[in-house]
Amino acid sequence: MFITTDEDCLIIIKSYQVIKNSLLKSIQLIKNNNSIKLSYYVILTFLINDNDIKNKINHPKEICNIFIRTIQQINDFNNDDFTFTNDGVHIIHLLIALKAYLQHDQVKDDFIESDGLNLLLTIANSVLASTEIESQVNNMLGEKFKSIIGLIPTEECDLNVLQEINHLQINMQYNMNILFKEMGLLALECLYTMSFNRKAKEILQKNEKFMIQIRELSNDENLKKIIDGLLWKLEEKYEFQIETTNQYDSMISYHWNDNVLVYKIYKYLIEKFNYKIWLDDQSISNSIFQTIEKSKFILMCMSETYKTNENCRSIIEYAQYRKKIIIPLIIKQVELDSWFESICTENLYIDFVKQNFEDAIQLLIKEINMKTIEQKEINSTMIDLSQQEISLSILPTTTTVNLHLNAIQDDYKRIPIKLWSDKHVEQFLHDYKLDLMILLTEYMNGEDLSQLFDKCKIQQDYWTVFDRFNNEFKKRFQQTLSISIYVRFLNQIQKYINMSRV
């Protein structure tokens, strides 16, 4: 049920912590190598979130080891207990559960340490080296049918019996080939998921046989999506020049399962505002990356199915790499963990689930307009900086940016901070070797600076604001803000606020 259930149903189940707690307690009472315990672990892979893994309440390493060991045992062709009806379906379910579990970046290192990559590579051979695997299947089936025929006395083996046996053998062989290819595809999808891990990526890149195999299959239409995705992650072969003009206002990236609400948003934007929008077809190809290049914004439609789809993640990762503006939209109830967490920390997201459509769409329009204005201001600022010949350089031992500023009077030291002009703020930061903050506080006067200080000093926001500062530096200037500069920035402002109160 947990493997085949509807996404919305699964979200409801996940919201009941009591179910998760009951499973965890039950697991502790069941001995190892028990099929019920394995089933509990399979269910957990669909229920746990990043916080569970961080707190290790779900025994992440044990789950990896159990999955790897069980799949390995079932996948062993020399195991006489392997049957199509039981073990075949069982291993498919285990691979589906494993793929769901590997979506959490925190468990990938444990999976690598347990030699999980080699297991996936072995299973993936069913599609990477189809002739070799079919030979193994044929040999295995041949031995089984020899034993079946051996049970029947030769004199009783009339033509009809032999024809029935032959027909049965052909059907089973066909079904077994389909089974092993399905296993291979799931293993490839797991490898694609693992390729988002730096260590796994390096291991796969060094595996010459695997790299040759996926290159040779790059033109296979049945495997194109997953092979193209793997090649982009492992070879980074898709590189495009930045377009001088944007051909699309937005690109909507979504999972096909979520198309009803996505089409409604799409229709509203093109009919009410005449936006030129391109709908993502959920593939990884040259055309997708070129479309990202030609789009001003990427509307990222978040759902559980979107989160667990490797192609969707690759599209957003590429958009980030190309520094595109991403606007996240929640279009189905979803946990904002895994790779969604960083996206939603860096960007304002709009919730189409908790708000009615009209309110949410108006927020989206507002966000698009604000992002458009911000982008124009950034472009204008960069032009002004160029015209004023302000040079930015990072010293080898510090992240401070040296800005060649015009001389400004230091009378800011003698007047209350709330009376400072933007030039006073600029000179204050320069005097205290906080030049990097000039980039972030452009056009701020003393009152603006005081409000920013008040926000930073709120206990629960102290480091949240620091993270926001860093995100903006990375996006706009490809730099980072050190903790020392942030702390000195607040301490120096505090001194002038205290002086103003005297």
Side-chain angles (χ1 to χ4, degrees), residues 209-325:
K209 179 182 177 182
F210 176 70
M211 294 303 297
I212 290 171
Q213 286 175 322
I214 61 175
R215 289 187 197 109
E216 289 177 347
L217 291 170
S218 59
N219 294 322
D220 188 323
E221 288 300 321
N222 297 321
L223 300 173
K224 187 167 182 58
K225 284 185 182 180
I226 190 168
I227 295 296
D228 279 348
L230 273 166
L231 285 172
W232 180 70
K233 288 300 298 178
L234 300 178
E235 289 196 334
E236 299 174 355
K237 69 173 186 176
Y238 297 115
E239 288 288 343
F240 303 101
Q241 296 297 320
I242 298 176
E243 296 285 336
T244 54
T245 57
N246 292 310
Q247 295 185 14
Y248 301 101
D249 294 302
S250 296
M251 166 184 164
I252 299 181
S253 179
Y254 70 105
H255 192 279
W256 290 334
N257 289 3
D258 310 322
N259 59 7
V260 176
L261 181 55
V262 169
Y263 288 163
K264 187 176 180 181
I265 295 170
Y266 169 76
K267 186 177 180 182
Y268 189 98
L269 293 177
I270 62 173
E271 291 182 356
K272 299 286 186 180
F273 292 90
N274 295 319
Y275 284 148
K276 188 174 182 181
I277 296 176
W278 193 88
L279 279 176
D280 171 18
D281 66 358
Q282 203 186 319
S283 65
I284 290 295
S285 62
N286 288 8
S287 61
I288 281 287
F289 291 127
Q290 288 174 349
T291 302
I292 294 172
E293 298 287 355
K294 297 173 185 177
S295 302
K296 294 179 184 177
F297 305 109
I298 310 298
L299 304 185
M300 171 185 168
C301 299
M302 298 187 295
S303 66
E304 286 293 327
T305 49
Y306 188 98
K307 182 168 63 177
T308 57
N309 184 277
E310 296 82 6
N311 285 343
C312 295
R313 182 173 180 177
S314 286
I315 287 166
I316 298 303
E317 190 176 88
Y318 185 81
Q320 288 179 304
Y321 170 67
R322 300 304 291 174
K323 295 180 173 57
K324 289 293 178 177
I325 297 173

Side-chain angles (χ1 to χ4, degrees), residues 3 31 36 127 140 223 242 263 318 338 349 412 463 483:
I3 290 172
K31 294 180 180 179
I36 295 178
V127 288
M140 183 184 71
L223 300 173
I242 298 176
Y263 288 163
Y318 185 81
S338 188
Y349 61 86
Y412 71 86
W463 293 113
I483 293 176

Side-chain angles (χ1 to χ4, degrees), residues 163-190:
Q163 285 178 341
E164 288 180 11
I165 292 174
N166 185 53
H167 180 69
L168 178 62
Q169 182 175 7
I170 292 172
N171 285 339
M172 282 197 67
Q173 181 175 333
Y174 175 77
N175 290 332
M176 289 293 283
N177 284 337
I178 290 177
L179 168 68
F180 284 114
K181 285 182 180 179
E182 186 174 352
M183 287 164 50
L185 285 171
L186 282 168
L188 274 179
E189 290 175 5
C190 289

Side-chain angles (χ1 to χ4, degrees), residues 363-377:
L363 284 175
L364 174 58
I365 299 300
K366 182 179 178 181
E367 182 68 6
I368 291 174
N369 291 336
M370 287 182 64
K371 292 291 186 184
T372 302
I373 293 171
E374 286 177 8
Q375 193 61 44
K376 287 180 180 178
E377 288 180 348

Side-chain angles (χ1 to χ4, degrees), residues 305-426:
T305 49
Y306 188 98
K307 182 168 63 177
T308 57
N309 184 277
E310 296 82 6
N311 285 343
C312 295
R313 182 173 180 177
S314 286
I315 287 166
I316 298 303
E317 190 176 88
Y318 185 81
Q320 288 179 304
Y321 170 67
R322 300 304 291 174
K323 295 180 173 57
K324 289 293 178 177
I325 297 173
I326 298 171
I327 303 178
L329 313 177
I330 297 179
I331 59 170
K332 281 189 177 180
Q333 192 173 349
V334 62
E335 283 190 286
L336 300 180
D337 62 346
S338 188
W339 61 280
F340 276 6
E341 186 175 8
S342 61
I343 298 290
C344 294
T345 300
E346 295 176 8
N347 303 278
L348 172 70
Y349 61 86
I350 298 166
D351 197 332
F352 278 83
V353 175
K354 293 183 178 179
Q355 302 179 39
N356 64 55
F357 181 81
E358 285 298 326
D359 289 343
I361 201 73
Q362 290 306 318
L363 284 175
L364 174 58
I365 299 300
K366 182 179 178 181
E367 182 68 6
I368 291 174
N369 291 336
M370 287 182 64
K371 292 291 186 184
T372 302
I373 293 171
E374 286 177 8
Q375 193 61 44
K376 287 180 180 178
E377 288 180 348
I378 290 171
N379 293 339
S380 176
T381 301
M382 297 308 291
I383 292 173
D384 290 343
L385 289 175
S386 174
Q387 290 173 344
Q388 295 172 22
E389 297 182 345
I390 297 179
S391 62
L392 300 177
S393 61
I394 301 176
L395 298 176
T397 58
T398 178
T399 56
T400 302
V401 177
N402 298 316
L403 295 173
H404 302 295
L405 303 169
N406 295 326
I408 303 172
Q409 294 181 352
D410 63 356
D411 59 348
Y412 71 86
K413 296 179 181 179
R414 296 182 291 276
I415 60 178
I417 190 171
K418 290 196 175 182
L419 297 180
W420 289 2
S421 68
D422 59 334
K423 295 299 182 184
H424 287 134
V425 171
E426 204 170 332

